[in-house]
Amino acid sequence: MEKIEHKMVAVNGLNMHVAELGQGPIVLFIHGFPELWYSWRHQMVYLAERGYRAVAPDLRGYGDTTGAPLNEPAKFSIFHLVGDLVALLEAIDPNEDNVFVVAHDWGAIIAWNLCLFRPDKVKALVNLSVHFFQRNPHMNFVEGFKALYGEDHYIPRFQVPGEIEAEFAPYGAKAVLKKFLTYRDPAPFYFPKGRGLDAIPDAPAALSSWLSEEELDYYASKFEKTGFTSAVNYYRALPLDWELTAPWTGAQVKVPTKFITSEFDLVYHIPGAKEYIHNGGFKKDVPLLEEVVVIEGAAHFVNQERPDEINKHIYDFIQKF
């Protein structure tokens, strides 16, 4: 871990913090919510030891990346997020045609769209937790989740600027992060108004076995500095994303892909998700999908909970190319 290098790279109007380790073909790691480059610490070391250059940025508005306009959710659109990464790749290695991409959660959403918008940039993709969502021409993502789960579901609850931040504030960043990162229930997140974090049951253990106090403190130290607004802005931009991605309705992801999910991942338990993933819908939308893996006994943050298994799954796939 101590060998990981940190640098700032000017990309797309941001000062992007990038963690890097190793020499060789680039593997770009894209983190999710509410995470950081640090979520990939185990994978970076493993792949660097096997001849790859692991590159993990703090995404727009996260961690030590600065320059994102905090109070403008429209500046967190999927086009900004993909654009940041295309610019980053150009900045760190203008001679490399395409790279391996490994992504989780919100990072997976960004990665699917990177493959839609710029398939020339991606040699192969390993996506964790969030399967491809084909654009629904009749209803945006937020309205879709409201229809499925009601107004108290976290995605609808994240929409009003300042509201969820005010509910999180009394708890402090560490308590908020602990609730999210140790969540192991396949049921969805609900935030009924006025109940804040108390609506989410505590994880059974004091901390999940994979997340030490020291590791949680690292996350907390960054979110104490940035707050949660930028991270939540990704959700606030979803209706805009839906409008802007109309040209890609029905488009396929044509990049060699491996998908990994977990038995207790809440995304895997969205109504219809398992049928889509296993019964042909996913393969139709992602024709170069080579493998789907379900990690038994694991929950949403699988790359941190089961690093050894995930490391091997990533390596086994990318070393074929």
Side-chain angles (χ1 to χ4, degrees):
M1 282 289 290
E2 60 278 358
K3 290 181 184 167
I4 292 175
E5 294 174 12
H6 297 267
K7 60 186 179 188
M8 303 301 288
V9 184
V11 297
N12 209 21
L14 304 176
N15 220 1
M16 184 171 261
H17 167 245
V18 181
E20 197 174 305
L21 185 65
Q23 299 294 323
I26 291 173
V27 182
L28 175 67
F29 289 98
I30 315 175
H31 70 76
F33 170 90
E35 300 181 83
L36 301 163
W37 76 267
Y38 188 69
S39 307
W40 298 110
R41 58 198 178 279
H42 308 295
Q43 287 73 36
M44 292 180 73
V45 172
Y46 184 90
L47 287 172
E49 286 171 351
R50 283 155 183 80
Y52 291 90
R53 180 182 175 192
V55 175
D58 282 336
L59 295 179
R60 173 175 289 247
Y62 277 91
D64 295 322
T65 292
T66 59
L70 193 65
N71 298 314
E72 292 183 61
K75 294 293 174 73
F76 291 80
S77 80
I78 196 66
F79 288 94
H80 290 88
L81 305 176
V82 171
D84 295 345
L85 297 178
V86 172
L88 174 64
L89 293 174
E90 183 63 29
I92 61 171
D93 195 344
N95 300 317
E96 183 129 16
D97 289 337
N98 53 23
V99 303
F100 295 110
V101 175
V102 178
H104 171 255
D105 185 76
W106 246 105
I109 297 172
I110 298 168
W112 291 124
N113 284 279
L114 171 62
C115 292
L116 280 178
F117 305 158
R118 293 299 303 273
D120 58 304
K121 291 289 179 189
V122 185
K123 196 176 296 178
L125 170 68
V126 180
N127 250 352
L128 278 61
S129 175
V130 179
H131 58 271
F132 184 66
F133 280 82
Q134 186 57 262
R135 182 182 180 274
N136 178 347
H138 309 294
M139 187 185 289
N140 76 41
F141 217 62
V142 177
E143 293 304 318
F145 275 97
K146 209 182 283 184
L148 264 181
Y149 295 125
E151 302 273 352
D152 288 340
H153 183 261
Y154 75 100
I155 293 178
R157 286 282 284 115
F158 279 3
Q159 294 305 306
V160 179
E163 196 173 89
I164 206 73
E165 295 94 321
E167 290 195 22
F168 285 170
Y171 296 90
K174 186 172 179 177
V176 174
L177 290 161
K178 183 176 174 180
K179 283 275 194 183
F180 275 113
L181 294 172
T182 62
Y183 189 76
R184 298 192 58 79
D185 193 332
F189 267 131
Y190 289 107
F191 284 115
K193 281 191 182 180
R195 285 185 60 202
L197 283 194
D198 299 331
I200 297 175
D202 282 325
L207 268 188
S208 280
S209 57
W210 56 267
L211 186 69
S212 70
E213 203 70 41
E214 187 185 357
E215 288 168 325
L216 183 60
D217 284 339
Y218 182 85
Y219 283 108
S221 70
K222 300 301 178 183
F223 281 91
E224 278 160 9
K225 196 175 70 178
T226 61
F228 287 92
T229 297
S230 288
V232 175
N233 278 345
Y234 286 51
Y235 295 91
R236 292 178 181 149
L238 283 169
L240 176 63
D241 292 342
W242 179 77
E243 291 179 29
L244 296 176
T245 54
W248 287 272
T249 304
Q252 292 176 313
V253 172
K254 293 184 176 174
V255 166
T257 300
K258 179 172 186 168
F259 179 68
I260 304 170
T261 186
S262 306
E263 184 182 1
F264 302 123
D265 193 314
L266 72 171
V267 183
Y268 190 49
H269 289 265
I270 291 171
K274 289 179 186 176
E275 292 75 13
Y276 173 77
I277 290 166
H278 299 294
N279 294 351
F282 195 10
K283 178 75 173 171
K284 182 171 169 285
D285 289 334
V286 187
L288 302 182
L289 177 68
E290 293 191 16
E291 197 179 349
V292 171
V293 177
V294 181
I295 305 287
E296 288 183 15
H300 182 67
F301 296 95
V302 66
N303 48 319
Q304 297 177 78
E305 183 183 341
R306 295 285 189 82
D308 296 346
E309 284 171 69
I310 297 301
N311 295 346
K312 192 169 184 316
H313 276 299
I314 294 167
Y315 178 70
D316 286 351
F317 186 63
I318 67 174
Q319 54 102 27
K320 297 194 288 190
F321 298 91

